[in-house]
Amino acid sequence: MNMPVQMPPQHPPQMGQLAPPPQTNLDNISKAKQLLPLLRENLAKTINAASQIIHHNNQTDGKGVDNSAAIRYDKYLEDFYSVCDQIELHLKTAKAVIEQTNSSITYVPLAVNHTRMDPIPEQNTISYPQYIDLVRTQINYSKEIYDTLWSAATNICE
């Protein structure tokens, strides 16, 4: 018996808010691009709040008027920096992925077949378990080289 799944009601975005982007598997560059309209909106709000504060200060300068109706400039600035930090995080992650891909191409010239677990002898690919074994071998080899150099350095110092 199939029961209908009820989805929670979705409220339309309020005035001045952007709807959250749909959750899909996007690369980090696309995620950063999706944040640009929000960044522009937050920058506009921040500049607008700053100009209103400057105008208010200009009007009240020397008159001793209470500044109790202060505009939330700090909140807008914090939102702007938050979006900048998100974009920076996505771009750093994209850079790390590109560097890892370049290293993988350099040190493992064969393509890794992620879909099949059995080796495919007719193609220039290796299975994922073979790739894991290759990486473990490279790590062990690097550790052996490090240990050899470390023992040689300690022998020279003695």
Side-chain angles (χ1 to χ4, degrees):
M1 177 189 257
N2 290 338
M3 299 290 291
V5 177
Q6 288 187 343
M7 300 296 289
Q10 294 184 354
H11 302 286
Q14 296 177 355
M15 189 64 145
Q17 290 182 345
L18 291 178
Q23 296 296 326
T24 59
N25 291 333
L26 297 174
D27 62 302
N28 288 299
I29 301 295
S30 298
K31 289 177 184 177
K33 286 180 181 179
Q34 282 185 343
L35 289 173
L36 287 178
L38 185 60
L39 181 71
R40 287 186 190 110
E41 179 184 337
N42 286 339
L43 180 61
K45 286 180 182 178
T46 304
I47 291 173
N48 187 20
S51 68
Q52 288 177 5
I53 289 173
I54 290 172
H55 178 71
H56 181 72
N57 287 345
N58 187 29
Q59 295 293 324
T60 60
D61 199 21
K63 296 180 183 175
V65 177
D66 184 26
N67 195 7
S68 62
I71 299 166
R72 298 295 302 176
Y73 172 77
D74 56 343
K75 179 193 176 302
Y76 293 137
L77 190 61
E78 185 69 28
D79 291 344
F80 174 75
Y81 282 136
S82 173
V83 175
C84 286
D85 291 342
Q86 290 176 26
I87 290 173
E88 180 183 18
L89 178 68
H90 287 304
L91 293 177
K92 282 183 177 180
T93 304
K95 180 182 175 189
V97 167
I98 290 170
E99 289 173 351
Q100 184 178 13
T101 302
N102 289 339
S103 295
S104 177
I105 290 170
T106 302
Y107 298 112
V108 183
L110 297 174
V112 178
N113 187 1
H114 300 284
T115 58
R116 296 186 56 180
M117 299 303 266
D118 54 336
I120 306 170
E122 66 272 4
Q123 297 176 350
N124 285 337
T125 61
I126 58 175
S127 67
Y128 191 73
Q130 289 174 326
Y131 173 72
I132 295 296
D133 290 338
L134 178 64
V135 170
R136 285 186 183 133
T137 304
Q138 290 176 341
I139 291 171
N140 289 335
Y141 182 68
S142 298
K143 186 174 180 339
E144 288 176 14
I145 291 174
Y146 175 81
D147 291 341
T148 303
L149 291 174
W150 182 258
S151 65
T154 55
N155 289 339
I156 292 173
C157 291
E158 293 174 357

